């Protein structure tokens, strides 16, 4: 098994037994309590100036996503244009964080978004590792990753092997993440050789909050830059309680190791009201350090237009309508 | 980044308070006999909300006489299914007027609108629905083939959950065929007076429910009145003891729900994030003005530092302030007198060597406020570990073994509630059997349901409220 550097925690990843022991020793999650806490946070009332702030922040945190068999270069170019200027009628509207596509379209997305550099540029995120099921050999997964990196992806959204995790082979899951992380550092990787790795837990297949907490720690121990709820292909996808458990994990991981890891809630978030609830949760669980597109993302497509409608409403005082936002 | 929530105040205009209220006797609002009036204030601002009457012994006598007439002529003989109709109607009106009642409750009591809206009002309605369902099934409740009402119940309730405590008292009494004279707390009479309007709206026969407002003396006149068959009291142990003494040797039936000093026991294998939520909910819910509050945290020494770090971080997130703001977590202390008591006992904690930590929050300039506070280094010998503070003050103690946790948890004159936090089911069941408390919550705290009986051991009182058990105090 691969040993990763988690110095303050000791030699957890040195053997499968040590890793399993550590993950099993994490405090349990009481389902009723976690869901009650999420429901309480969802009752926060965010109005006026706070709502304006939250809507703009949510837009800037979106990974605008298309992951369909029917995707084409034309579709991706349209999405890229939308990502750069979500509201053509308002230059003050922030860009989204990234465009998220399949590996074979990463190059198209990169070209459409331009090659500007710097923190504010819209990133290209590519799913990889036999997304969404992850049912392929490690060689195939690494090659999938390498192709996306070579095509100009700034971020890789990988899936974990849920079958291995659920059958008690946490070491295998760790090794795969470590290997993919290594592939993200390979030749051709942009931004000083560092492509950010988001690790998709597919929480809808993990079944329990205890598993979500363990998988979160496993991914972070293996070197994940982000932990992500879902592929969007499995129901349930992102939920508030699952995201709560993951936010608690990144908060505790930073306290234990000093390293900050981001969280991406993906799938099923369609309404502005829901996005604001996630931001309230980030605010009250991890604190303001995570209220930044570098540390929290939404994986979504339809959400953006609803946020734009809310944004126009806040600016003008009345709702416009679906034809006042662009359909791409 | 800083994400500040803009003020989100609930509208005050949904409640139409009169400037002055009389007593509610025999189905109508009437003036008190004496000239005295008292003012009820908003504890968050010290603004006067309304004037209410002060009932003296003559007023109490009028109310008891009206209740007796209603019991004899109408309510006692009415078939249970007919009484149920009135109770269902009241429950529905409480639901329909929930927003108005919630705002009135927060104004008069100081509790956050989130709690009055999401806890007090839904539970108050649920209590009436639950006991409406019992009214025609009393012969199947296990209290004999033909249980009968007691007659007139004199009920005295506290200021911490004004409308909910009214529901706990009135719903079972009426379901069983009793009529009531209820005295709300001196500082929180408003929702009881709005409830009187609801009785009129529901066409409840006159005299079935009577509300007499006033200070402790009014309550004393009520419990001493010879025409009262049953006394139900929720409040302090000192007053409960006095009532028990007064009633000794009479034929009056008595149930008491008194103070508490509950232990909230956190084991090292607890779900820690949820345990922290439970600790916060246990002691800061309703500003700690809860008789079953988890005011003693017993935490296993091996996780003490971890739990305290998580707890302080969580307490720093509590939003203290305007009770009508929908995002407020902790509201105002109910009265100047209560604030003085909390300060006095906290000062005793300092003086006895415990270490105080308060959440860093700005408190409003007017009104009665106390920041969420915890004391570490507390032992069983400290006053703050033995006496009920009835405020947002948590005493943190430690233990090493389950046996020590049980010994310390039970080492109190009270016995109203307790909490256990562990992922190990067998330990929870063992603890629940060992703890001498009326309610034991496992991996949760301060959760209430009309189907579940509630009440104390030892100096926390006797009798049960809620569920089938709650009928027993109103039947013979």
């Amino acid at each position: 098994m691969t040993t990763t550097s988690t110095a303050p925690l000791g030699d957890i990843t040195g053997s499968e037994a040590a890793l399993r022991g550590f993950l099993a020793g994490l405090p349990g999650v009481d389902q009723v309590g976690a869901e009650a806490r999420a429901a309480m946070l969802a009752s926060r009332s965010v109005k006026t100036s706070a709502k304006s702030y939250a809507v703009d922040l949510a837009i800037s945190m979106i990974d605008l996503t298309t992951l369909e068999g029917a995707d084409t270069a034309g579709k991706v170019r349209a999405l890229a244009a939308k990502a750069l200027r979500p509201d053509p009628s308002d230059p003050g509207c922030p860009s989204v964080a990234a465009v998220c596509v399949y590996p074979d379209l990463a190059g198209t997305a990169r070209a459409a978004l331009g090659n500007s550099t710097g923190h504010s540029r819209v990133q290209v995120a590519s799913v990889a590792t036999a997304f969404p099921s992850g049912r392929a050999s490690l060689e195939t997964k690494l090659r999938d990753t390498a192709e996306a990196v070579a095509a100009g992806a700034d971020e890789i959204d990988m899936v974990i092997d849920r079958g291995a995790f659920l059958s008690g082979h946490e070491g295998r899951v760790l090794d795969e993440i470590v290997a993919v992380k290594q592939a993200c550092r390979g030749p051709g990787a942009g931004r000083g050789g560092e492509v950010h790795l988001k690790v998709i837990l597919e929480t809808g297949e993990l079944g329990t909050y205890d598993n979500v907490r363990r998988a979160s720690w496993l991914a972070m121990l293996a070197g994940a830059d982000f932990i992500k709820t879902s592929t969007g292909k499995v129901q349930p996808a992102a939920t508030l309680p699952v995201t709560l458990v993951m936010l608690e994990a990144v908060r505790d991981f930073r306290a234990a190791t000093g390293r900050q890891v981001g969280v991406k809630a993906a799938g099923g978030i369609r309404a502005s009201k829901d996005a604001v609830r996630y931001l309230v949760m980030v605010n009250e669980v991890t604190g303001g350090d995570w209220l930044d597109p570098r540390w929290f993302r939404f994986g979504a497509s339809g959400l953006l237009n609803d946020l734009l409608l809310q944004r126009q409403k806040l600016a003008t005082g009345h709702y416009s309508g679906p034809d006042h936002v662009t359909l791409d | 980044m800083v994400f500040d929530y803009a003020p989100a105040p609930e509208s005050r205009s949904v409640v139409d308070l009169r400037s002055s209220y009389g007593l509610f006797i025999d189905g109508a609002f009437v003036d008190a006999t004496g000239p005295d009036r008292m003012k009820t204030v908003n504890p968050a601002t010290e603004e006067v909300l309304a004037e209410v009457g002060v009932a003296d012994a003559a007023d109490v006598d009028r109310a008891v006489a009206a209740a007796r007439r209603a019991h004899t002529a109408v309510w006692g003989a009415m078939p249970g299914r007919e009484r149920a109709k009135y109770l269902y109607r009241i429950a529905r009106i409480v639901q329909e007027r929930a927003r108005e009642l919630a705002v009135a409750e927060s104004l008069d009591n100081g509790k956050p609108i989130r709690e009055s809206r999401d806890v007090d009002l839904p539970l108050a309605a649920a209590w009436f629905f639950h006991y409406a369902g019992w009214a025609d099934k009393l012969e199947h409740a296990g209290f004999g083939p033909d249980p009968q009402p007691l007659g007139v119940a004199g009920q005295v309730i506290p200021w911490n959950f004004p409308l909910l405590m009214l529901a706990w008292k009135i719903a079972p009494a009426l379901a069983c065929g009793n009529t009531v004279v209820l005295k709300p707390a001196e500082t929180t009479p408003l929702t009881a007076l709005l409830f009187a309007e609801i009785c009129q709206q529901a066409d409840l026969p006159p005299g079935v429910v009577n509300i007499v407002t006033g200070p402790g003396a009014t309550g004393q006149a009520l419990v001493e009145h010879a025409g009262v068959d049953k006394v139900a009291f929720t409040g302090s142990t000192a007053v409960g003891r006095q009532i028990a003494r007064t009633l000794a040797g009479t034929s009056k039936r008595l149930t008491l729900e008194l103070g508490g000093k509950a232990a909230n026991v956190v084991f090292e294998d607890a779900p820690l994030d949820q345990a922290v939520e439970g600790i916060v909910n246990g002691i800061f819910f309703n500003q700690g003005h809860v008789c079953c509050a988890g005011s003693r945290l017993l935490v296993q020494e091996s996780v003490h530092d971890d739990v305290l770090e998580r707890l302080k971080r969580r307490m720093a997130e509590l939003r203290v302030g305007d009770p009508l703001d929908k995002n407020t977590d902790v509201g105002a202390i109910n009265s100047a007198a209560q604030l003085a008591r909390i300060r006095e006992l906290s000062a005793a904690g300092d003086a006895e060597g415990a270490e105080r930590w308060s959440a860093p929050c700005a408190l409003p300039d007017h009104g009665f406020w106390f920041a969420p506070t915890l004391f570490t280094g507390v032992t069983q010998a400290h006053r703050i570990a033995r006496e009920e503070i009835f405020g947002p003050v948590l005493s943190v103690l430690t233990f090493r073994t389950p046996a020590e946790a049980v010994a310390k948890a039970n080492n109190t004159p009270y016995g109203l509630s307790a909490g256990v936090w562990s992922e190990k089911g067998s330990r929870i069941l063992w603890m629940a059997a060992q703890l001498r408390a009326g309610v034991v919550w496992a991996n949760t705290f301060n959760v209430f349901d009309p189907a579940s009986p509630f009440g104390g051991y030892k100096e926390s009182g006797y009798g049960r409220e809620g569920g089938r058990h709650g009928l027993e105090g109103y039947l013979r």
Side-chain angles (χ1 to χ4, degrees), chain B residues 292-307:
Chain B
C292 52
S295 51
R296 282 187 299 152
L297 172 62
L298 284 171
V299 59
Q300 196 157 8
E301 255 184 77
S302 53
V303 287
H304 173 270
D305 293 353
D306 191 5
V307 168

Side-chain angles (χ1 to χ4, degrees), chain B residues 159-450:
Chain B
W159 46 261
N160 56 345
F161 294 92
L163 185 69
L164 183 56
M165 290 300 105
L166 174 150
W168 282 32
K169 293 283 182 283
I170 291 184
L174 262 48
C176 293
N178 303 275
T179 54
V180 305
V181 180
L182 178 127
K183 194 208 78 89
E186 186 176 359
T187 59
T188 56
L190 290 182
T191 45
L193 295 163
L194 292 176
F195 181 80
E197 293 178 3
I198 290 174
C199 292
Q200 291 178 322
Q201 203 180 337
D203 281 330
L204 191 70
V208 173
V209 168
N210 304 274
I211 311 273
V212 289
T213 50
T218 305
Q220 194 180 347
L222 177 58
V223 303
E224 286 175 354
H225 196 284
V228 166
D229 301 300
K230 149 88 189 186
V231 172
F233 172 76
T234 296
S236 72
T237 295
V239 175
R241 203 175 267 138
Q242 200 181 317
I243 292 173
R245 222 175 274 134
T246 305
L247 266 55
T250 72
S251 61
K252 290 178 193 172
R253 296 265 292 268
L254 175 63
T255 48
L256 296 171
E257 201 263 87
L258 308 175
K261 192 72 191 176
N264 204 359
V265 185
V266 178
F267 285 95
E268 63 183 0
D269 63 355
L272 289 185
D273 287 306
Q274 287 74 45
V276 166
E277 287 307 312
I279 295 164
V280 166
N281 187 41
I283 186 61
F284 302 120
F285 171 64
N286 205 37
Q287 298 73 246
H289 301 329
V290 185
C291 44
C292 52
S295 51
R296 282 187 299 152
L297 172 62
L298 284 171
V299 59
Q300 196 157 8
E301 255 184 77
S302 53
V303 287
H304 173 270
D305 293 353
D306 191 5
V307 168
L308 262 288
E309 190 189 320
R310 288 167 191 266
L311 181 57
K312 287 178 180 176
R313 183 175 58 209
R314 178 68 181 87
M315 283 170 65
E317 290 290 327
L318 289 171
R319 307 171 64 85
V320 183
D322 180 8
L324 284 189
D325 191 301
K326 293 170 194 164
N327 293 323
T328 293
D329 297 320
V330 178
I333 302 301
N334 180 251
S335 65
Q338 189 57 29
L339 180 58
R341 173 163 174 79
I342 295 167
R343 285 182 173 154
E344 194 263 317
L345 272 165
S346 302
D350 294 329
E352 291 181 346
E355 192 182 330
R356 183 200 291 237
W357 183 89
S358 292
C361 58
L363 299 178
D365 297 330
H366 298 285
F368 316 125
W369 302 91
F370 198 89
T373 294
L374 63 80
F375 280 95
T376 48
V378 180
T379 71
Q380 292 287 95
H382 284 78
R383 276 184 72 197
I384 51 171
R386 306 203 66 78
E387 296 182 29
E388 186 176 37
I389 300 173
F390 222 65
V393 181
L394 177 67
S395 300
V396 183
L397 298 89
T398 60
F399 67 92
R400 295 160 296 175
T401 63
E404 186 182 0
V406 168
K408 284 184 169 172
N410 285 340
N411 181 218
T412 167
Y414 297 112
L416 192 52
S417 69
V420 183
W421 295 84
S422 169
E423 285 278 277
K424 188 166 179 169
S426 59
R427 176 174 294 151
I428 288 172
L429 295 173
W430 181 80
M431 286 291 290
Q434 302 295 313
L435 290 167
R436 283 180 290 155
V439 180
V440 179
W441 282 294
N443 291 335
T444 190
F445 210 94
N446 274 345
V447 173
F448 307 94
D449 190 280

